[in-house]
Amino acid sequence: MGRKNIGDQRRSEIIISFYEVSRSLGLENASIAKLAQHMGISKGLVLHYFKNREELLLGLNEYILEQHLRVMVSEDIGKMDCKEHVIHFIENLFTRAWNTYFDDGVFYSCYALVYRVPEFKESFKAYLIQLHEVLYKKLEEAVAFDVIVATDLKELTEVIFALIDGAYYYLGMYNEHDLIYKKQVAIYVKYSLRLLDFRS
């Protein structure tokens, strides 16, 4: 058991270091040799835990998606027990809070691989389903607390996520301190909140 835990920990350390190298040099330039140099270990040790770069890439992809999920389940969000908490949750989905957990450039480089690597596509699909489930449960919680009126929550989840995905892609073109960035975020939040039927 101990040996397995040490192995899992070492794999995690290697993946996080690979992420750091990818963020610094670009995913296309992040080789096993540069990763080993960054960590101060041999290439052989990296290959002991990951048989090739493709396996390492898959581990990186899963790491990034796990960080993606953390935005949705952050303890700062709190329960959906009042209108203010629901609004804060929705606002958080359209901010650069995501960037606290992962780099846009590495994320989109990984995303591009879904069109070439079937394992990446399945990995992304599984985590997207998880993200949708988290949003659905948050909305369900708001209904349980009688903050919003029960509607078709699954449909509502899909629409809000479509707004989030489109917004995130578009807003990546701007600095978060730009006036247009703040204006667009306000628009996305406003229309997302309009979809929710708050109790009087």
XYZ file of all heavy atoms in Angstrom, residues 32-81:
405
model
N 10.084 15.262 -22.686
C 10.454 14.514 -21.483
C 11.833 14.952 -20.998
O 12.079 15.052 -19.796
C 10.409 12.997 -21.755
C 8.957 12.548 -21.902
C 11.096 12.221 -20.628
C 8.777 11.067 -22.200
N 12.725 15.267 -21.940
C 14.073 15.717 -21.570
C 14.007 17.044 -20.803
O 14.680 17.214 -19.779
C 14.927 15.872 -22.825
N 13.179 17.975 -21.281
C 13.063 19.276 -20.615
C 12.356 19.132 -19.273
O 12.657 19.856 -18.320
C 12.320 20.258 -21.514
C 13.178 20.710 -22.702
C 12.413 21.601 -23.661
C 13.322 22.005 -24.824
N 12.602 22.784 -25.859
N 11.413 18.200 -19.201
C 10.739 17.925 -17.932
C 11.739 17.389 -16.910
O 11.778 17.851 -15.764
C 9.610 16.914 -18.152
C 9.004 16.276 -16.905
C 8.358 17.328 -16.014
C 7.987 15.211 -17.303
N 12.547 16.434 -17.339
C 13.543 15.850 -16.441
C 14.535 16.906 -15.964
O 14.898 16.949 -14.783
C 14.276 14.717 -17.163
N 14.934 17.775 -16.883
C 15.862 18.857 -16.532
C 15.214 19.795 -15.513
O 15.855 20.224 -14.546
C 16.257 19.630 -17.789
C 17.275 20.728 -17.537
C 17.639 21.467 -18.828
O 16.896 21.443 -19.803
N 18.789 22.120 -18.822
N 13.956 20.111 -15.719
C 13.212 20.996 -14.819
C 13.136 20.411 -13.416
O 13.247 21.135 -12.421
C 11.805 21.217 -15.380
C 10.899 22.015 -14.477
N 10.989 23.382 -14.351
C 9.891 21.620 -13.647
C 10.077 23.810 -13.497
N 9.398 22.771 -13.053
N 12.966 19.087 -13.338
C 12.831 18.416 -12.047
C 14.163 18.015 -11.431
O 14.215 17.652 -10.248
C 11.945 17.168 -12.199
C 10.518 17.446 -12.605
S 9.506 15.929 -12.582
C 9.354 15.666 -10.799
N 15.209 18.060 -12.236
C 16.516 17.631 -11.745
C 16.607 16.134 -11.569
O 17.278 15.639 -10.649
N 15.918 15.384 -12.452
C 15.947 13.918 -12.407
C 16.313 13.393 -13.791
O 16.424 14.162 -14.750
C 14.586 13.329 -11.949
C 13.478 13.722 -12.940
C 14.242 13.800 -10.542
C 12.119 13.104 -12.630
N 16.469 12.097 -13.913
C 16.825 11.506 -15.207
C 15.568 11.237 -16.046
O 14.466 11.102 -15.507
C 17.574 10.195 -14.994
O 16.693 9.216 -14.432
N 15.768 11.171 -17.363
C 14.656 10.808 -18.255
C 14.146 9.415 -17.914
O 12.949 9.139 -17.999
C 15.121 10.847 -19.710
C 15.321 12.240 -20.276
C 15.926 12.191 -21.680
C 15.078 11.375 -22.647
N 15.653 11.386 -24.006
N 15.070 8.560 -17.506
C 14.701 7.191 -17.173
C 13.706 7.125 -16.023
O 12.800 6.278 -16.019
N 13.862 8.026 -15.052
C 12.946 8.036 -13.919
C 11.548 8.489 -14.360
O 10.546 7.936 -13.907
C 13.471 8.948 -12.817
C 12.675 8.947 -11.505
C 12.558 7.531 -10.938
C 13.327 9.869 -10.472
N 11.495 9.463 -15.259
C 10.193 9.901 -15.796
C 9.529 8.729 -16.508
O 8.340 8.444 -16.311
C 10.357 11.087 -16.775
C 9.009 11.431 -17.421
C 10.930 12.299 -16.065
N 10.313 8.026 -17.334
C 9.777 6.912 -18.115
C 9.443 5.697 -17.249
O 8.739 4.794 -17.688
C 10.772 6.528 -19.217
C 10.954 7.596 -20.309
C 12.114 7.238 -21.227
C 9.668 7.743 -21.121
N 9.944 5.690 -16.036
C 9.580 4.630 -15.092
C 8.102 4.765 -14.697
O 7.411 3.769 -14.482
C 10.467 4.705 -13.846
C 10.062 3.759 -12.759
N 10.281 2.395 -12.826
C 9.430 3.983 -11.571
C 9.806 1.822 -11.735
N 9.289 2.758 -10.946
N 7.630 6.015 -14.634
C 6.248 6.274 -14.225
C 5.312 6.504 -15.408
O 4.095 6.281 -15.301
C 6.201 7.487 -13.290
C 6.857 7.227 -11.958
C 8.151 7.668 -11.690
C 6.188 6.513 -10.964
C 8.761 7.415 -10.469
C 6.790 6.254 -9.739
C 8.069 6.707 -9.498
O 8.673 6.436 -8.279
N 5.871 6.970 -16.534
C 5.078 7.206 -17.744
C 5.840 6.599 -18.916
O 6.939 7.053 -19.226
C 4.856 8.707 -17.968
C 4.058 9.370 -16.871
C 4.715 9.947 -15.788
C 2.677 9.400 -16.915
C 3.998 10.558 -14.767
C 1.953 10.004 -15.894
C 2.601 10.579 -14.820
N 5.245 5.619 -19.563
C 5.991 4.859 -20.571
C 6.343 5.679 -21.807
O 7.281 5.330 -22.543
C 5.222 3.607 -20.969
C 3.862 3.844 -21.589
C 3.158 2.520 -21.877
C 1.785 2.738 -22.497
N 1.087 1.444 -22.739
N 5.603 6.775 -22.069
C 5.916 7.647 -23.200
C 5.265 9.016 -22.996
O 4.548 9.241 -22.018
C 5.442 7.027 -24.524
C 3.987 6.576 -24.453
O 3.135 7.290 -23.903
N 3.699 5.400 -25.000
N 5.510 9.926 -23.920
C 4.989 11.289 -23.800
C 3.465 11.298 -23.906
O 2.796 12.134 -23.276
C 5.590 12.187 -24.884
C 5.254 13.672 -24.710
C 6.039 14.530 -25.698
N 5.788 15.956 -25.496
C 4.799 16.635 -26.082
N 3.954 15.993 -26.889
N 4.641 17.928 -25.852
N 2.901 10.395 -24.701
C 1.452 10.341 -24.873
C 0.759 10.035 -23.539
O -0.279 10.624 -23.214
C 1.089 9.269 -25.914
C 1.392 9.656 -27.358
C 2.879 9.785 -27.641
O 3.666 9.013 -27.034
O 3.270 10.676 -28.438
N 1.339 9.131 -22.773
C 0.758 8.793 -21.471
C 0.891 9.978 -20.512
O -0.009 10.251 -19.714
C 1.470 7.566 -20.887
C 0.795 7.017 -19.640
C 1.445 5.736 -19.164
O 1.346 4.725 -19.884
O 2.057 5.757 -18.075
N 1.983 10.693 -20.631
C 2.203 11.885 -19.808
C 1.204 12.975 -20.190
O 0.656 13.674 -19.323
C 3.639 12.376 -20.005
C 4.168 13.469 -19.066
C 4.035 13.071 -17.605
C 5.637 13.742 -19.405
N 0.936 13.124 -21.477
C -0.029 14.103 -21.953
C -1.432 13.807 -21.415
O -2.163 14.720 -21.029
C -0.061 14.121 -23.480
C 1.066 14.883 -24.181
C 1.062 14.576 -25.676
C 0.935 16.380 -23.947
N -1.779 12.543 -21.387
C -3.093 12.158 -20.868
C -3.190 12.485 -19.380
O -4.225 12.969 -18.905
C -3.343 10.667 -21.104
C -4.761 10.168 -20.798
C -5.793 10.929 -21.618
C -4.869 8.674 -21.072
N -2.104 12.253 -18.653
C -2.070 12.605 -17.231
C -2.201 14.106 -17.037
O -2.894 14.571 -16.125
N -1.549 14.884 -17.908
C -1.640 16.342 -17.846
C -3.064 16.802 -18.121
O -3.601 17.677 -17.428
C -0.692 16.968 -18.875
C -0.780 18.489 -19.038
C -0.340 19.193 -17.761
C 0.066 18.948 -20.226
N -3.681 16.191 -19.115
C -5.050 16.534 -19.469
C -5.996 16.305 -18.290
O -6.822 17.157 -17.949
C -5.484 15.685 -20.661
C -6.859 16.056 -21.174
O -7.121 17.207 -21.487
N -7.748 15.095 -21.254
N -5.851 15.189 -17.628
C -6.707 14.866 -16.486
C -6.437 15.815 -15.316
O -7.355 16.218 -14.605
C -6.499 13.414 -16.073
C -7.041 12.441 -17.120
C -6.749 10.984 -16.787
O -6.027 10.725 -15.794
O -7.241 10.106 -17.527
N -5.182 16.208 -15.150
C -4.826 17.159 -14.085
C -5.505 18.510 -14.326
O -6.099 19.102 -13.402
C -3.308 17.344 -14.041
C -2.859 18.510 -13.200
C -2.884 18.458 -11.807
C -2.423 19.692 -13.799
C -2.484 19.542 -11.032
C -2.020 20.781 -13.039
C -2.047 20.699 -11.658
O -1.664 21.769 -10.895
N -5.454 18.997 -15.554
C -6.060 20.288 -15.884
C -7.568 20.239 -15.684
O -8.178 21.166 -15.144
C -5.717 20.695 -17.332
C -4.239 21.076 -17.423
C -6.593 21.852 -17.802
C -3.770 21.390 -18.815
N -8.176 19.142 -16.099
C -9.626 19.031 -15.960
C -10.037 18.927 -14.491
O -11.103 19.409 -14.104
C -10.126 17.828 -16.758
C -9.976 17.994 -18.278
C -10.319 16.687 -18.992
C -10.866 19.117 -18.804
N -9.191 18.329 -13.680
C -9.467 18.281 -12.232
C -9.430 19.690 -11.646
O -10.236 20.043 -10.776
C -8.434 17.391 -11.530
C -8.671 15.906 -11.746
C -7.501 15.058 -11.262
O -6.567 15.632 -10.645
O -7.520 13.832 -11.498
N -8.482 20.524 -12.133
C -8.414 21.907 -11.679
C -9.660 22.674 -12.126
O -10.188 23.520 -11.404
C -7.150 22.592 -12.224
C -5.838 21.916 -11.869
C -5.724 21.625 -10.392
O -5.798 22.507 -9.554
N -5.566 20.358 -10.053
N -10.099 22.376 -13.327
C -11.315 22.962 -13.876
C -12.497 22.686 -12.948
O -13.300 23.572 -12.647
C -11.570 22.306 -15.244
C -12.348 23.141 -16.190
N -13.230 22.600 -17.086
C -12.408 24.484 -16.391
C -13.784 23.564 -17.801
N -13.296 24.715 -17.401
N -12.570 21.472 -12.474
C -13.656 21.051 -11.588
C -13.593 21.777 -10.244
O -14.622 22.077 -9.640
C -13.597 19.537 -11.383
C -14.764 18.862 -10.671
C -16.065 19.067 -11.435
C -14.501 17.372 -10.497
N -12.390 22.077 -9.788
C -12.217 22.738 -8.481
C -12.880 24.111 -8.443
O -13.313 24.570 -7.383
C -10.731 22.877 -8.154
C -10.063 21.565 -7.762
C -8.601 21.777 -7.437
N -8.409 22.661 -6.291
C -7.224 23.104 -5.890
N -6.134 22.764 -6.556
N -7.124 23.890 -4.835
N -12.951 24.785 -9.590
C -13.607 26.094 -9.638
C -15.069 25.962 -9.256
O -15.630 26.799 -8.557
C -13.498 26.712 -11.052
C -14.202 28.069 -11.103
C -12.046 26.859 -11.462
N -15.675 24.857 -9.694
C -17.105 24.649 -9.465
C -17.414 24.238 -8.034
O -18.517 24.474 -7.544
C -17.618 23.563 -10.414
C -17.442 23.870 -11.879
S -18.602 25.115 -12.463
C -20.130 24.204 -12.392
N -16.465 23.607 -7.375
C -16.736 23.064 -6.037
C -15.959 23.808 -4.951
O -15.811 23.318 -3.833
C -16.419 21.556 -5.973
C -17.311 20.786 -6.920
C -14.953 21.277 -6.289
N -15.477 25.001 -5.275
C -14.723 25.793 -4.305
C -15.538 26.018 -3.039
O -16.736 26.308 -3.081
C -14.350 27.151 -4.918
O -13.825 28.010 -3.943
N -14.871 25.886 -1.891
C -15.543 26.088 -0.607
C -15.988 27.536 -0.418
O -16.854 27.830 0.406
C -14.612 25.672 0.541
C -14.329 24.180 0.587
C -13.419 23.788 1.737
O -12.989 24.699 2.472
O -13.150 22.592 1.897
N -15.396 28.456 -1.183
C -15.758 29.866 -1.070
C -17.182 30.137 -1.543
O -17.777 31.159 -1.199
C -14.791 30.730 -1.895
C -13.371 30.655 -1.355
O -13.210 30.368 -0.157
O -12.434 30.884 -2.136
N -17.703 29.225 -2.346
C -19.019 29.441 -2.943
C -20.131 29.335 -1.908
O -21.050 30.140 -1.863
C -19.259 28.438 -4.089
C -18.287 28.733 -5.241
C -20.701 28.499 -4.577
C -18.261 27.703 -6.324
N -20.022 28.352 -1.030
C -21.036 28.189 0.002
C -22.295 27.509 -0.510
O -22.388 27.098 -1.665
N -23.286 27.413 0.353
C -24.551 26.771 -0.003
C -25.415 27.723 -0.819
O -25.336 28.936 -0.680
C -25.301 26.349 1.264
C -24.637 25.225 2.031
C -25.484 24.813 3.227
C -24.843 23.642 3.964
N -25.653 23.221 5.139
N -26.293 27.143 -1.621
C -27.209 27.929 -2.440
C -28.483 28.220 -1.643
O -29.592 27.945 -2.087
C -27.545 27.182 -3.734
C -26.361 26.820 -4.604
S -25.543 28.260 -5.354
C -24.175 28.507 -4.223
N -28.307 28.781 -0.452
C -29.431 28.955 0.463
C -30.039 30.356 0.461
O -30.942 30.656 1.242
C -29.019 28.582 1.888
C -27.796 29.355 2.373
O -27.255 30.159 1.581
O -27.405 29.155 3.532
